[in-house]
Amino acid sequence: MFRKLNFRWMLHHHRCDAVRQFHWPSHLVRSTFIDFFKNHNHQHIRSSPVIPWNDATLAFVNAGMNQFKPVFLGQSLRPCPRATNSQKCIRVGGKHNDLHDVGRDTYHHTFFEMLGNWSFGDYFKKDACAMAWKLLTEVYKLPPDRLYVTYFGGDPALNIGSDMEVWDIWRSIGVHENRILPFGMKDNFWEMGIHGPCGPCTEIHYDRLGGTSAQDRVNLGVEDMIELWNIVFMQYERLKDGTLQPLSTHHVDTGMGLERITAVLNSKTSNYDTDLFLPIFEKIQKMSGKAAYGGHFSEDGLCLDTAYRVLADHLRMTTVALADGLFPEDSYKLRRVMRRAIRISRDTFGLVHHNNLADLTNIVAESLGDTYPELWSQLERVQVIFQQEEEHFQETLHKISKEWSSMLLQNHSLKVFSDVISPGLLNGLKDVIPLIEELKDSNSKFPEDIALKLIEAYGVNIDTVEELASLYNLNIDLESILVTLETTKIQRKVSEQQKWEASKLYSSASVLSESIFENLPPTDDSAKYLYKIINGSYSFMPLETTVISFIRDGKLTHSVHDKEIIGVILDSTNFYYEAGGQEGDKGELVSGDVRVNVRYVEKLGHIIIHWGTLECGELCIGKKLMASVDPDFRLGCMQHHTATHLLNSAVRAVTGVSSQRSSHVTHDHLSLGVRTYQTMDYENIEKVEKIVKMWANEKCPISRKTLPITKLLQEPGVVFLPGEVYPDNVHVITTSLNANLNSGGREMSQILSMEPCCGTHLSNTGDIGSFCITDVKATGVGLRNIRAVCGENAAIAEANAEVAVSQFQKWEEKVQKEISANNHESIANTSKELLAWRTTFEAKLLPYLVRSKMNNSLDNLARLMRNALRGDANKQMIVEMEEILSEQPSGPVVHLLETDFGTSKAMLIKASKLCKKRPLLVLAKAEGTVVARATLTQELVNNGASAADWLTCIQNILGGVVKAPRGQDLQLVCNFRGNLMNTVDMSKLEDAVSESRKYIEKYS
């Protein structure tokens, strides 16, 4: 059954024709708005990204005012007296959550554009109302008799009267008093949060039906009377005790949805019937072959047109979020919407190829890219991530499809569930669905204990719990659940701290209360960036400073004596405290016979604490000291921190798309965790290392600038760390390399490194000296931890490599010679000697590529000698398997065999027979490939496991073929043979083993 949204509205739809003077494309609606306010002395400020980098309270930017929040809170200066823009906004989850309504009505969207104008202490109510009315009636040509305005009607509880000033303004403009309507706190009083700036607002509503009187439909939430514009007058501050206090400076904050005003100007009854959505519908129809979009709605939300609307909306939201730098693994809300889009594209439209949704993002870029150029510049990134997400989702869905299908047969309501592969969801639903079914459609409350169980025991996110409640028509008290979760979190934290304190193992400020420092002034640490280059060397000048307090045994004290471990608090310091992944400085605090050996520096609140030992003398408050950092330690940290930035940029340049997950910088090495969407194989690692070395050789200048976060957000090319919240003013470290490079078919003439960072850095890339990557470890699929050294340590590693390669060549000659002579005793002795040399070789600092390739070569030499000595590989394999089974007496076994037996399948079969009653996956490197065999018990197969799926974990990473032995059940037993390769990439093999272990653990 299809439904029409409002029969009376459709009956009067012909009246809307009078509104439309000509076609209003969305780009013209947007530019007309901005130009209008620019002509009224407003400065156009670009939309900020949808990721709120400077606001930890938001998952996404959800209103036009978000980027100006620090101005309203008095935390930063106004950027200009008057501003205007079109802000990209996302509402998914939390207080502003439009996800459940998307596609089911004409005007809710997860992504939308908010047209806005602001006054920062400039004009106020009169001018704001006058400009809004002029734009709507004289520029957009909306008939005044279709417009209604609302104003704040007062609140006796807060002792605030009606906003009659606004009533008078609307009357003076010419609005009839019957069209000026009062409403209370809920509709016409706007608040930023629990406390902070707030104030009354006036709204402009548009009557789609027309007629003489429509006051009764205003603010009823009906689609034929739609709110167009909200104008907020920030004139109060809500204090923590709940009372209101007038602000000394008044602001204006307005917002009008582009999608809504575009629909109204084009006499459309739905936002989806505009050029912001129709091109996406047309592309979906063309790709899928389904019936064209018809604008129908159904009560159950399952009709084809609803799927069109949801898919188009989600494509817009995900494309914009990805283009702004967000990664799916950093936002379960983003991943949830992406997966919902993927499911609809596959299940409803039959778009099963991995690049279908990626292709559809082109339409979004064509629609919005002229206004938001990052959609074009980041389109490749968007499409790479979409392809990876589609592939990953399909693989995961395949694994759980049987369980989910079984659940759907019993619970039809779950058919439209947005994210069926949330971790823990299936097991959680099995547990709670019987309880929820009893309450279905009873207008009951979703039990809080069930919600908490899903969240805490099964790891289901709160948005998914909210969606589950809505599917069963149950009310849910999200605020109460959030309060309970926060209380539980605090209780756990207190308990953990009590245990820690009871252990008496702490001495650092990390377990101290910030309240004990409330009366101390903040530590001035600006001198940590003050250093000079004298005759080509970095010089770190001592700083005279004053002691203001000490910490001893976890308490503030007035004086300390020698040989005590203390925390020294100074009025100013040139020491760097541990932050941004960089270790804190070491050094000394000295004055006459007083010397403190500083070993660790940290910040707590506004105070910086220097932890160390008072080596001699006596300290007291007010004592003058000279603070000196260890120059070698500081310079090493600076070299490795700058190298970390270059390495991060090089990885991104080579792989196309990457995300920093972590970093750690010390004086003698760096460690960078990255997520890449292209394999970090030997070839790419070599390219990355080459770029960093080139950057150092080119001696490129490095700049440090301090910018307001609002200005930094407008900078193209800046790279933010996912999940990081930045202060209002940010240090930005920038350098670039001019290089003609080609990676993955992408031509690059310049590589830019531009990152907000509080760390200490070099002034020129040439000061890094030598650079080399020493280790690359897989920490998950697509996740790599790269360890590298520079300066003196890199030179040592490269010198070690030259010696090791030379020695290996001699070993290679010796082994070949002895194998040719066929002297078994001599071969056996050489094998032992080579093993001893290999142990020494492994202990040395070496470049990763040299170590990896040499290890492969050493494996080949060892195999050649074993083959020469081999009397019975069968016995060797049996001994090895018996040892493994002895070490792992129970549970599944995943093992990479060391025994070399060529490519014999018979040996793998014999290995599997030694472990008949347990799940086994055994792998072997054999003549340039990897072979494997998996066997499962019937019990695990009954639980949903499959030998073929188990081996697919390896196939997905190494490539190759998974095939069941002839006549056998592929769920119980299966074989794998990898693609041929010159050398076996051990990092890939480690990934494969890791993923296969994860797979079988789910069923064990």
Side-chain angles (χ1 to χ4, degrees), residues 802-856:
E802 288 185 21
V803 173
V805 170
S806 175
Q807 290 177 346
F808 173 77
Q809 289 172 347
K810 294 176 181 177
W811 279 110
E812 197 171 30
E813 292 170 4
K814 184 177 181 180
V815 168
Q816 293 290 354
K817 183 177 179 181
E818 292 182 354
I819 288 176
S820 298
N822 200 26
N823 185 328
H824 280 213
E825 183 178 353
S826 181
I827 293 172
N829 289 334
T830 299
S831 179
K832 293 177 182 177
E833 292 169 0
L834 183 59
L835 181 60
W837 179 83
R838 184 171 188 171
T839 302
T840 304
F841 153 79
E842 287 283 1
K844 290 185 179 294
L845 183 65
L846 289 164
Y848 171 75
L849 291 172
V850 171
R851 183 189 300 277
S852 299
K853 292 176 180 178
M854 195 171 290
N855 274 329
N856 275 320

Side-chain angles (χ1 to χ4, degrees), residues 521-541:
T523 309
D524 177 6
D525 66 339
S526 56
K528 66 188 178 185
Y529 299 123
L530 301 180
Y531 38 86
K532 299 177 181 178
I533 299 178
I534 302 174
N535 297 325
S537 298
Y538 285 79
S539 176
F540 307 97
M541 305 301 293

Side-chain angles (χ1 to χ4, degrees), residues 990-1001:
E990 288 170 9
D991 269 358
V993 171
S994 172
E995 288 303 303
S996 59
R997 284 199 176 107
K998 288 179 186 176
Y999 174 86
I1000 200 62
E1001 283 170 2

Side-chain angles (χ1 to χ4, degrees), residues 199-219:
C201 63
T202 183
E203 296 175 342
I204 303 175
H205 296 252
Y206 178 75
D207 178 15
R208 278 179 155 142
L209 296 181
T212 56
S213 177
Q215 295 96 323
D216 59 329
R217 302 203 317 278
V218 174
N219 275 336

Side-chain angles (χ1 to χ4, degrees), residues 70 255 332 354 487 496 501 567 670 788 877 958:
Y332 70 82
H354 292 324
T487 303
E496 287 170 4
E501 291 176 357
L670 68 88
M877 182 272 295
L958 299 181

Side-chain angles (χ1 to χ4, degrees), residues 169 180 237 254 361 388 524 691 713 822 884 963:
I169 290 169
I180 310 173
E237 179 181 7
T254 86
T361 61
Q388 291 278 335
D524 177 6
I691 289 172
L713 292 173
N822 200 26
I884 291 299
K963 190 176 181 181

Side-chain angles (χ1 to χ4, degrees), residues 826-968:
S826 181
I827 293 172
N829 289 334
T830 299
S831 179
K832 293 177 182 177
E833 292 169 0
L834 183 59
L835 181 60
W837 179 83
R838 184 171 188 171
T839 302
T840 304
F841 153 79
E842 287 283 1
K844 290 185 179 294
L845 183 65
L846 289 164
Y848 171 75
L849 291 172
V850 171
R851 183 189 300 277
S852 299
K853 292 176 180 178
M854 195 171 290
N855 274 329
N856 275 320
S857 298
L858 285 166
D859 286 344
N860 288 334
L861 285 185
R863 179 176 60 82
L864 289 172
M865 287 188 285
R866 283 198 303 270
N867 286 344
L869 293 170
R870 184 167 61 196
D872 190 349
N874 186 39
K875 290 181 181 179
Q876 293 177 35
M877 182 272 295
I878 290 173
V879 170
E880 183 179 346
M881 285 299 300
E882 287 175 345
E883 289 175 352
I884 291 299
L885 294 174
S886 175
E887 292 171 5
Q888 302 178 36
S890 62
V893 176
V894 179
H895 180 61
L896 174 62
L897 286 168
E898 295 179 4
T899 303
D900 193 315
F901 45 77
T903 57
S904 171
K905 286 184 183 178
M907 289 296 187
L908 284 177
I909 294 171
K910 288 178 182 178
S912 62
K913 286 182 178 179
L914 294 172
C915 188
K916 287 184 177 179
K917 297 182 179 180
R918 292 162 60 187
L920 170 74
L921 193 154
V922 62
L923 307 92
K925 292 187 291 181
E927 297 180 7
T929 188
V930 173
V931 292
R933 184 177 178 89
T935 58
L936 287 177
T937 61
Q938 186 62 53
E939 180 183 2
L940 282 186
V941 171
N942 293 341
N943 288 339
S946 160
D949 288 347
W950 198 5
L951 286 175
T952 300
C953 297
I954 299 171
Q955 182 190 35
N956 289 340
I957 296 171
L958 299 181
V961 178
V962 173
K963 190 176 181 181
R966 183 176 298 176
Q968 297 193 51

Side-chain angles (χ1 to χ4, degrees), residues 402-418:
K402 290 183 180 178
E403 291 181 88
W404 186 249
S405 297
S406 175
M407 181 165 285
L408 285 182
L409 289 175
Q410 303 171 47
N411 305 279
H412 183 71
S413 299
L414 298 173
K415 186 175 181 182
V416 294
F417 213 60
S418 64

